[in-house]
Amino acid sequence: MSEPEKRDSGDRGTATAEKPRLDRQRILEAGAAFIEQFGPRHLSMRRLGTQLGVEAMSLYRYVPSRENLLDGIVEVVIDDLYKDPEVYSEPRHGWQDYLLRLAHGLRRLALAHPQVFPLIATRPTEAPWVRPPLRSLRWVESFLKALTSAGFSDQAAVDAYRAFSSFLLGHLLLEVAAMGADVGPVDEAEPRPPKSTDLNGYPLLQRLQERLSEDRSEQEFEEALESLLDRLEALQA
Amino acid sequence: MSEPEKRDSGDRGTATAEKPRLDRQRILEAGAAFIEQFGPRHLSMRRLGTQLGVEAMSLYRYVPSRENLLDGIVEVVIDDLYKDPEVYSEPRHGWQDYLLRLAHGLRRLALAHPQVFPLIATRPTEAPWVRPPLRSLRWVESFLKALTSAGFSDQAAVDAYRAFSSFLLGHLLLEVAAMGADVGPVDEAEPRPPKSTDLNGYPLLQRLQERLSEDRSEQEFEEALESLLDRLEALQA
DNA sequence: ACCTGAACACCGTTCAAGT
DNA sequence: ACCTGAACACCGTTCAAGT
């Protein structure tokens, strides 16, 4: 009780700091942080081990493989969606409000984790009809409940679910890609040279290059989302 | 002239067959075929070399790196779009017809190369405003030309380009993923166990599972595309 | 000119061994 | 119970050497 917690070795000055102890959750969180910092391509069992002050082989006590590690990281990050106080898992002010909140919550999540989001969007899911970026039985159930309760037929609710997933996937993937995220493999070693593309022979690209480079992602998202909701409204019984 | 083309060694029965000779185009095509057969994760310089009856090191005479190889494969596959006789690079029957043909051409391409498409969708492009799945200055120019010529303002043409890319990316990525494609890393070694997910506690998923598993991708695509065109029509000056 | 062997610095993963 | 050292079968990439 009275003994201060200090071992004879003191702090050994390992890679990042003296970390408390290994467990699955800590490994997954460290993995997410690693990917956000260096990109998914740089995540190796060995480097993650070093980051945690441990040999790579120790990770296998908690994580059966690198693939499973990546799946776990995706889960850990997507868990934030359940914690987002602005996102409801069942509608409180109508289905449109529910969908708007869900869409905005996912967008916040993507922007907060631009390097991890491509994994959320592209890792295989447990069943083919569990579509990214929703990815979990729980959210699909929640989605279908919200819409059928609001008067959508079974088929209309399923169609809405598909349209909603495609919409989010396309928009958010392109948005994080534009942030320079690691959508697929990338080299962050080279910070992307200015790369002044040669636009000779492309008069419209020359004329519109400034407009093309403007960041209109927020307006884009809001307008497309609104248009999607209008379309879904037409599906309602 | 009279000599039959046969060397003293005869056919040595290498990996796939006695291939003519190495050059970049042949390597890229073999790479595309390899990915379509085994998935991107299994493509290594060494295995591709073997497939071509050559040591891995020989590839480096034509391809500076694996990254460059992947980029080249994407280009080779997307070149099919230029060869598609149903896709016009400039409008012949109005901008809607042009966009419909372009969208359908890309969908055909995705369905013909389900394993390569995720690379088309996720590899970094040469400029951030060159968005997948269009990916090339030439097509972006073509797109913007078609719309501005049809009376779209510069800003409206750019907005339409963005909406069109997001739409295609979301739909086609989810469609090939549902085909079991390698959207991100995957193990094709295991042919995906039946994986009868436990739906206890998810009453709607239970009730809707059949509907959720139905393939409605074509109708989905057509309806969403039509709705997109309606939306773009409203942007026109 | 074109391909290869050997080498380097990495991987993921297993397993007997240490504490 | 938890971590490690050594080993295996792979990687991508370089380069001097072979034909």
Side-chain angles (χ1 to χ4, degrees):
Chain A
M1 287 256 196
S2 55
E3 271 205 36
E5 43 159 37
K6 133 169 182 283
R7 309 247 204 55
D8 52 6
S9 60
D11 42 8
R12 305 200 315 280
T14 35
T16 38
E18 199 79 28
K19 289 293 182 65
R21 185 171 279 210
L22 229 42
D23 70 57
R24 185 170 163 95
Q25 187 65 21
R26 218 162 70 71
I27 292 172
L28 298 181
E29 281 165 8
F34 188 102
I35 289 177
E36 215 48 72
Q37 193 172 167
F38 303 108
R41 274 186 58 75
H42 285 63
L43 177 69
S44 75
M45 300 299 281
R46 292 166 127 108
R47 280 200 267 248
L48 183 56
T50 310
Q51 191 86 183
L52 285 161
V54 105
E55 300 299 313
M57 305 76 197
S58 314
L59 304 177
Y60 285 91
R61 197 155 283 273
Y62 308 93
V63 163
S65 68
R66 183 177 191 269
E67 294 296 289
N68 180 282
L69 170 66
L70 291 174
D71 287 339
I73 291 171
V74 164
E75 270 178 50
V76 142
V77 170
I78 242 201
D79 262 4
D80 288 0
L81 196 59
Y82 296 107
K83 295 174 206 144
D84 188 330
E86 311 223 0
V87 176
Y88 309 146
S89 56
E90 50 193 272
R92 299 184 194 175
H93 309 290
W95 62 271
Q96 290 100 331
D97 176 73
Y98 166 86
L99 289 187
L100 283 172
R101 287 174 179 279
L102 185 52
H104 287 132
L106 275 160
R107 179 159 183 265
R108 277 192 296 274
L109 193 147
L111 298 184
H113 305 278
Q115 297 280 348
V116 176
F117 187 78
L119 296 181
I120 296 177
T122 59
R123 293 232 102 216
T125 56
E126 57 182 312
W129 44 267
V130 179
R131 299 161 51 129
L134 244 42
R135 291 204 72 88
S136 74
L137 298 177
R138 205 170 134 191
W139 274 113
V140 182
E141 176 80 14
S142 159
F143 187 106
L144 296 172
K145 179 102 192 298
L147 294 221
T148 52
S149 303
F152 282 69
S153 71
D154 284 5
Q155 187 62 57
V158 169
D159 289 348
Y161 163 61
R162 290 187 174 131
F164 190 72
S165 323
S166 305
F167 160 75
L168 284 177
L169 189 68
H171 272 274
L172 298 183
L173 212 45
L174 281 170
E175 193 165 352
V176 301
M179 294 173 70
D182 225 359
V183 172
V186 121
D187 284 300
E188 331 60 0
E190 16 161 344
R192 238 175 237 286
K195 198 95 180 245
S196 66
T197 316
D198 183 17
L199 296 186
N200 266 329
Y202 301 108
L204 273 155
L205 294 185
Q206 265 168 37
R207 191 170 95 210
L208 299 182
Q209 193 182 10
E210 261 193 60
R211 261 190 230 278
L212 281 165
S213 305
E214 264 176 62
D215 180 11
R216 304 240 309 157
S217 42
E218 178 150 13
Q219 299 98 305
E220 249 182 276
F221 187 80
E222 299 303 338
E223 285 163 24
L225 180 54
E226 195 175 337
S227 151
L228 176 71
L229 292 188
D230 288 348
R231 187 151 81 86
L232 298 187
E233 206 140 18
L235 291 178
Q236 212 181 358
Chain B
M1 289 259 192
S2 54
E3 270 206 38
E5 44 158 34
K6 134 172 180 282
R7 308 249 204 57
D8 53 5
S9 61
D11 41 10
R12 304 201 316 279
T14 35
T16 38
E18 199 79 28
K19 290 293 183 61
R21 185 173 278 209
L22 229 42
D23 69 57
R24 184 171 163 96
Q25 186 66 19
R26 218 163 70 71
I27 292 173
L28 298 181
E29 281 165 9
F34 188 101
I35 289 178
E36 215 48 72
Q37 192 171 168
F38 303 108
R41 274 186 59 74
H42 286 63
L43 178 69
S44 76
M45 300 299 281
R46 291 165 127 109
R47 280 201 267 248
L48 184 55
T50 310
Q51 191 86 184
L52 286 161
V54 104
E55 299 299 314
M57 304 76 195
S58 314
L59 303 178
Y60 284 91
R61 198 154 282 273
Y62 306 94
V63 162
S65 68
R66 183 176 190 270
E67 294 295 290
N68 179 283
L69 170 66
L70 291 173
D71 287 338
I73 291 172
V74 164
E75 269 178 50
V76 142
V77 169
I78 241 200
D79 263 3
D80 289 0
L81 195 60
Y82 295 108
K83 295 175 203 142
D84 188 330
E86 312 224 358
V87 176
Y88 310 147
S89 55
E90 51 191 271
R92 298 185 195 175
H93 310 290
W95 63 271
Q96 288 101 332
D97 176 73
Y98 167 87
L99 288 187
L100 282 172
R101 289 174 179 278
L102 184 53
H104 287 132
L106 275 161
R107 180 160 182 264
R108 278 193 296 276
L109 193 147
L111 298 183
H113 305 278
Q115 296 280 347
V116 176
F117 187 79
L119 296 182
I120 295 176
T122 58
R123 294 232 102 217
T125 56
E126 57 182 312
W129 45 267
V130 178
R131 298 161 50 129
L134 244 41
R135 291 203 71 87
S136 73
L137 298 178
R138 205 170 133 189
W139 275 113
V140 182
E141 177 80 13
S142 158
F143 186 106
L144 296 172
K145 180 103 193 296
L147 295 219
T148 50
S149 303
F152 283 69
S153 72
D154 283 5
Q155 187 62 58
V158 169
D159 290 348
Y161 163 63
R162 291 187 174 132
F164 190 73
S165 323
S166 305
F167 160 76
L168 284 177
L169 188 69
H171 272 274
L172 298 182
L173 210 45
L174 280 170
E175 193 164 352
V176 301
M179 295 172 71
D182 225 359
V183 171
V186 120
D187 284 301
E188 328 62 357
E190 18 162 343
R192 237 172 238 284
K195 200 93 180 249
S196 65
T197 316
D198 183 18
L199 296 186
N200 267 327
Y202 300 108
L204 273 155
L205 294 185
Q206 266 167 36
R207 191 171 98 209
L208 298 183
Q209 193 183 9
E210 262 192 60
R211 260 189 232 279
L212 281 165
S213 305
E214 264 176 59
D215 180 11
R216 304 240 307 155
S217 44
E218 179 150 11
Q219 299 98 303
E220 249 181 276
F221 187 80
E222 298 304 338
E223 286 163 23
L225 180 54
E226 195 175 337
S227 150
L228 176 71
L229 292 189
D230 288 348
R231 187 150 82 85
L232 298 188
E233 206 138 18
L235 290 179
Q236 213 181 358

